[in-house]
Amino acid sequence: MEQKNKDVDLRKVAIIGCGFVGSASAFALMQSGLFSEMVLIDADKDRAEGEALDISHGLPLGRPMRIYAGGYDDITDAAIIIITAGANQKPDETRLDLVHKNVAIYKNIIPQIKSRECKGILLIVSNPVDILTHVALKLSGFEENRVLGSGTVLDTSRLKFEIGSYLGVDSRSVHAFIIGEHGDSEIAAWSSANVSGVPMRNFYEFKGKHKYEKAAENIANAVRNSAYEIIEKKKATYYGIAMSVRRICEAIVRDEKSIMPVSAPMHGEYGIKDVVLSMPAIIGKNGVEGRMPIELNEDEIKALKESAETLRDVLKGIE
Ligand code: NAD
């Protein structure tokens, strides 16, 4: 459905949850120049005020912008409302372990947004992001196109980084997606992966890397385990996701029609429905403007169905 831009201020963004992820995202957005107003909300008001002040102190060295700690009445006209509130993973916890704590937090946040008839796009970041995107969609009653999760945008960026490093090529020339759950059942879609149009297997050969299957498996495992590794070493991950948030906001505000693997409902693609997960989608001013059914081989479709089943089981536990 067409978003009525007159209802929202395209230069205004809101972030709910100013912990590691929310504050890193706010810092990335301040530097992006995409917005002229940013509202920060946190259950801990001092935290939101502190982050707003700290980030504002960089403004004379960047671009003018108004950044302040606010409340829900301040976000009714925000073009994008980013939700990063919620518990994060502790070492040895999976993203799915967070579900009950964070669903309870969303039951507090989403009705506040709904009751104010906010017309902006909801960008869900808290984990488990696929489940919480589903919950946000149901609780808000918003049109499907304007509730999306950051999904596997971060995992896809990690995949491109790992492939680029291994092959000694600019990661921006790598075209490959992680799809499915943002979590342990995610899938690296190797069958459609390429480097500037050259099929991935051929590019490996070209670079003298002859053990393609083994190398691909190692890279997919490194991507899947990277959050665990970072959390073990520094307790939380936030810079990579902050750049992912910035990139998604850029595609929306600039109406780019960029293709990114965000989390959104499936409607029978590959035989999967009634579950929210990541597949490449067209992102523009209306949020999710279409889905791109990429070519997948039989094994990838099977793994995608299993990933959907994992998520559906979790949904059954909360509905
Ligand atoms: P954090 O503990 O540092 O911050 C969470 C913040 O949420 C805190 O400041 C807390 O006060 C606030 N909060 C809690 N309940 C609230 C409420 N009802 N209203 C407003 N604010 C509330 O955690 P973090 O490291 O910033 O992680 C935040 C979330 O992001 C976690 O769920 C984490 O798993 C997730 N995350 C997602 C990705 C991704 O790729 N989607 C990547 C990294 C982290």
Side-chain angles (χ1 to χ4, degrees):
M1 186 182 284
E2 184 74 7
Q3 181 195 326
K4 297 190 202 93
N5 283 340
K6 66 179 168 52
D7 291 331
V8 298
D9 179 350
L10 271 175
R11 289 272 169 199
K12 182 167 175 179
V13 66
I15 301 183
I16 304 175
C18 303
F20 288 117
V21 174
S23 57
S25 300
F27 186 51
L29 289 175
M30 179 272 258
Q31 293 180 76
S32 73
L34 286 170
F35 300 102
S36 52
E37 188 173 344
M38 178 155 57
V39 187
L40 303 182
I41 298 179
D42 198 286
D44 175 355
K45 189 125 203 297
D46 282 346
R47 178 76 196 242
E49 282 173 3
E51 295 297 353
L53 259 181
D54 194 5
I55 297 171
S56 297
H57 291 165
L59 289 174
L61 310 166
R63 270 171 276 204
M65 186 176 177
R66 198 174 153 233
I67 304 171
Y68 57 98
Y72 286 91
D73 287 338
D74 296 307
I75 68 167
T76 52
D77 59 345
I80 307 176
I81 300 168
I82 302 162
I83 311 185
T84 55
N88 59 12
Q89 282 169 269
K90 305 289 171 274
D92 299 329
E93 254 187 338
T94 72
R95 295 176 181 92
L96 293 177
D97 288 334
L98 303 171
V99 72
H100 293 293
K101 288 183 235 176
N102 288 349
V103 167
I105 288 175
Y106 270 51
K107 282 185 176 165
N108 170 263
I109 293 173
I110 304 294
Q112 311 225 43
I113 297 171
K114 183 184 181 182
S115 66
R116 286 166 178 82
E117 298 183 3
C118 297
K119 294 287 188 289
I121 288 168
L122 290 189
L123 173 55
I124 308 303
V125 181
S126 331
N127 275 321
V129 69
D130 306 291
I131 301 292
L132 292 178
T133 303
H134 178 99
V135 167
L137 195 53
K138 296 284 172 217
L139 292 180
S140 67
F142 286 3
E143 306 85 342
E144 229 179 78
N145 59 292
R146 65 181 179 109
V147 181
L148 59 139
S150 60
T152 54
V153 172
L154 171 58
D155 316 65
T156 294
S157 182
R158 287 173 173 154
L159 178 68
K160 291 180 181 185
F161 168 77
E162 292 289 344
I163 294 172
S165 305
Y166 183 70
L167 295 177
V169 65
D170 183 346
S171 56
R172 294 170 304 175
S173 300
V174 176
H175 302 287
F177 289 109
I178 297 280
I179 56 172
E181 178 202 356
H182 167 60
D184 297 342
S185 70
E186 68 185 30
I187 301 115
W190 289 108
S191 66
S192 61
N194 66 82
V195 180
S196 287
V198 179
M200 194 58 77
R201 181 185 292 276
N202 298 6
F203 203 90
Y204 270 59
E205 289 294 329
F206 169 67
K207 282 287 194 169
K209 313 271 191 194
H210 301 301
K211 293 185 176 154
Y212 175 67
E213 265 80 18
K214 188 69 204 150
E217 189 187 327
N218 288 344
I219 285 179
N221 286 339
V223 170
R224 189 177 304 108
N225 293 327
S226 54
Y228 292 111
E229 185 185 351
I230 297 168
I231 289 167
E232 187 68 40
K233 291 186 164 138
K234 56 171 262 187
K235 300 209 168 27
T237 77
Y238 35 95
Y239 296 123
I241 183 61
M243 287 300 286
S244 309
V245 165
R246 172 185 161 150
R247 181 69 195 99
I248 297 167
C249 288
E250 186 176 48
I252 294 170
V253 170
R254 302 184 70 244
D255 194 20
E256 287 180 356
K257 321 290 186 202
S258 291
I259 295 176
M260 280 180 248
V262 296
S263 195
M266 295 289 278
H267 291 294
E269 302 93 331
Y270 313 98
I272 300 169
K273 60 180 181 182
D274 301 330
V275 71
V276 169
L277 51 71
S278 285
M279 286 299 299
I282 302 168
I283 308 300
K285 71 175 189 300
N286 301 306
V288 179
E289 299 189 355
R291 293 283 242 177
M292 293 288 304
I294 51 168
E295 286 290 320
L296 298 176
N297 65 26
E298 271 180 31
D299 288 345
E300 290 164 346
I301 293 175
K302 184 167 172 280
L304 186 64
K305 286 182 171 166
E306 285 166 6
S307 187
E309 214 41 58
T310 303
L311 289 167
R312 207 175 281 114
D313 284 347
V314 177
L315 281 176
K316 276 187 207 145
I318 56 168
E319 270 172 357

